[in-house]
Structures are given as C-alpha cells and as structure tokens.
Amino acid sequence: IDGSPRFHLFVAGSCPLASSVTASRTLLGLEKLISMDVSDGCSGAGWVFLNGATCSPWKERDGPFWLYEAYQSANPLCTSDISVPILWDTETHKIVSDDSWEIMKILSDAASDLGSCSCPKDVLHVISKQGKHNNIPTLFPDNMKHDIEQMFTNTVKPLLDAVGTGFEYLRNGRIETQLVLEGRMKMFAMLEELEESLGHRRYLFTNLTGVDVRLGFCLLQFDACYWDVFQLRSSEGYRGPILTGDIYPNLKAYTRDIYRLMKPAVYFESFRQLYQLGQAIEFTRRTYSCGEASNKTLNGDMAEEL
C-alpha cells in the first residue's frame, strides 16, 4: 500500500552465503523490487540490525532489530537455527526461505518471470540468458539446472564445507583436529582443480551462472579472511594467497572478474566481523565456564546450609 516492495531480504556482508544472495539481487537488477537490510553483526542473541528493520511489521519501531524476531513472528514456537539470509514476505509476515541457494533460484525465476530486468550493462554481456529470443537474463537457465547443481555439489560445496571446518577449528580453541586437517586438504585440492579448470574458460560454464556467484564470494574471502583467521598459512598443502600472489593466476583472474561484476554487493567492512569470531567464541566459553562454576559454588553453599 505504501509502495514498498512486498519481499525483503535480511543478509550479512560477512557471510558468503548471504552475500551471494545480495549479489544475485544486484546482478539481476532487482534492487527496486526486493528491499534489503544488512546486519551489523552477530552476537549471543544472533544477528542484529542496530538501526532496526526497514520492512513491515518493524519499520516504524525504534531501536535494534534481532533476526530471531522474524522467526518468532512467523512461528512463536519456532526452535530453528537463526541464520542469514532470509527472504521475508512483508504481507503475510512469514519467511519465504532461509536457504541461500534456494533464494538465489527464487530471485532468478522472479527476473525471468518479469520478462526483462535492469541488469547492469557489463553484466548483461556475460550473464546466462534464456527465453524465446534468448534475451532474458538468468543465473539458472532451465536447460542447465541439472549441470549447475552438479557443479555446485562437486566444486563449491566442498569448499564451503572446508570453510565450515575452519569454524570448527575456532570452536575447539584452535586445536587442529583430524576433521580440520582433512577439511583444509580438501580445500587446497579443490583450489588446484579449479585453477586448472579455469585455465580453459572464463566462467565455470560458458556464461555467468549462480554457481559462479557462489564460488566468487568464497574465493574473495579466502585472501581477505580465511587464510589468516583459520591460520591456513601454517597448514600442509597451503601454497599461497589467491589475489595477492601469483600461485593461482587463473583463479586470480576469475575472482577479479567476478568481483568487478558484483562489486556493489560486497561489504568489505563486514569482513572484519570474521576476525572477531575467535575472540567472541573464547569470551562465550569463559562466560559459560564462570557461570557453571558460580552455580556449583552456590549449590554447594546451599547444600551445606541445608
């Protein structure tokens, strides 16, 4: 009624999964059709938007907005993990999806259904297209969906899983467990495979697709965050950075090309949040440890009095 878009995105610039959704929105020219809020970070209470939410039903409210409120609004008894991104329906006040890969497909389908979109000119030349006249931009062409899924499963998902072992490394107090070491070796092996593959083509397929967007953000954060935060430099199999070295010339050119296209969707200032993860995990661990110790002392004192 007030002219605001019906659908809204809650994302975080530090998360490569949420950032790939942000980039899809930009690449497909959907900024005016889908509004968006970018998180200021994550705390013990989950993702927070310090200036509040800009969509219904919270946009008239002052103060911070916590993402768990979206889950509780949709289902007061919800016990789900609180994650970004979220695609929110401002009319029904329900979550459409909190799966980043699915949301990317939804956005791509929305652009295709419109029949046209305001893709940036430099994107229009390289993005995949479909339709009767092969002129409708899409990140998931109908005739390539199976191949894209296979590429995602075989190439990008192993990298994301390896990043997940990096968070496991931080949660375990920077202890290099077998799971962490195996995750790192898989990551380095996949980088080598991608380096060879991209020596023969510009993108993973002939034109830009959703799997390139997903991979691009993962590679961009490798130099900016992962190699330092997860202390990859001291790992067996580590050869060097992607963007600031000459070890991976093909991956370097590929990442720069992807970044050039999705630059408006990259929030470098949010990357700093990843450097605070280890500190935050350690603080939480100490806090809970102190709480448990206090409870034991309190319970012991009470027992003596009784």
Side-chain angles (χ1 to χ4, degrees), residues 41-48 66-68 82 277 280-281 283-284 287-288:
C42 191
S43 72
W47 296 98
V48 62
W66 301 88
L67 197 57
Y68 68 78
I82 310 302
L277 274 176
I281 291 171
F283 174 79
T284 303
T287 301
Y288 277 106

Side-chain angles (χ1 to χ4, degrees), residues 202 242-243 248-259:
R202 182 176 180 182
I242 296 173
L243 289 171
Y248 302 104
N250 297 324
L251 278 174
K252 182 177 183 177
Y254 173 83
T255 306
R256 285 184 169 182
D257 189 9
I258 297 292
Y259 170 68

Side-chain angles (χ1 to χ4, degrees), residues 192-205:
E192 295 290 342
E193 185 177 322
L194 285 167
E195 171 65 20
E196 181 178 356
S197 176
L198 290 170
H200 308 291
R201 52 183 183 264
R202 182 176 180 182
Y203 301 116
L204 293 176
F205 293 100

Side-chain angles (χ1 to χ4, degrees), residues 279-291:
Q279 204 174 13
I281 291 171
E282 183 58 30
F283 174 79
T284 303
R285 182 181 291 113
R286 288 200 307 267
T287 301
Y288 277 106
S289 296
C290 290

Side-chain angles (χ1 to χ4, degrees), residues 16-220:
L17 307 184
S19 295
S20 62
V21 169
T22 306
S24 298
R25 171 178 174 266
T26 298
L27 293 169
L28 295 166
L30 297 173
E31 294 97 327
K32 294 182 180 179
L33 297 176
I34 300 176
S35 53
M36 186 176 74
D37 284 322
V38 182
S39 172
D40 293 288
C42 191
S43 72
W47 296 98
V48 62
F49 301 76
L50 295 177
N51 294 322
T54 60
C55 69
S56 175
W58 306 284
K59 67 177 181 179
E60 302 299 332
R61 191 187 74 182
D62 294 329
F65 167 76
W66 301 88
L67 197 57
Y68 68 78
E69 297 180 64
Y71 284 85
Q72 289 183 341
S73 177
N75 179 6
L77 301 179
C78 177
T79 58
S80 171
D81 290 336
I82 310 302
S83 64
V84 286
I86 282 179
L87 180 60
W88 177 256
D89 188 329
T90 65
E91 290 187 7
T92 63
H93 294 170
K94 292 183 178 181
I95 295 173
V96 178
S97 177
D98 62 357
D99 181 286
S100 58
W101 190 238
E102 180 183 1
I103 294 174
M104 289 177 67
K105 296 175 185 177
I106 291 173
L107 298 188
S108 185
D109 289 343
S112 296
D113 290 342
L114 289 172
S116 64
C117 71
S118 54
C119 277
K121 290 183 179 180
D122 55 343
V123 175
L124 199 57
H125 293 309
V126 298
I127 196 170
S128 297
K129 300 179 183 68
Q130 62 183 13
K132 183 177 180 180
H133 302 291
N134 199 38
N135 62 345
I136 300 175
T138 178
L139 292 172
F140 296 89
D142 291 336
N143 63 343
M144 293 177 59
K145 286 184 176 179
H146 175 73
D147 294 334
I148 290 174
E149 290 293 342
Q150 286 293 108
M151 181 68 75
F152 172 74
T153 300
N154 297 333
T155 304
V156 181
K157 192 175 183 301
L159 276 180
L160 294 174
D161 290 342
V163 172
T165 64
F167 292 112
E168 184 72 18
Y169 167 72
L170 295 179
R171 282 193 293 267
N172 289 336
R174 301 183 186 277
I175 297 175
E176 295 181 334
T177 63
Q178 188 62 32
L179 177 65
V180 170
L181 294 175
E182 289 177 358
R184 289 177 179 178
M185 293 305 295
K186 289 179 181 178
M187 173 186 285
F188 300 145
M190 185 53 64
L191 290 178
E192 295 290 342
E193 185 177 322
L194 285 167
E195 171 65 20
E196 181 178 356
S197 176
L198 290 170
H200 308 291
R201 52 183 183 264
R202 182 176 180 182
Y203 301 116
L204 293 176
F205 293 100
T206 305
N207 296 103
L208 182 75
T209 66
V211 74
D212 290 300
V213 179
R214 189 67 138 222
L215 176 61
F217 259 105
C218 189
L219 296 177
L220 189 62

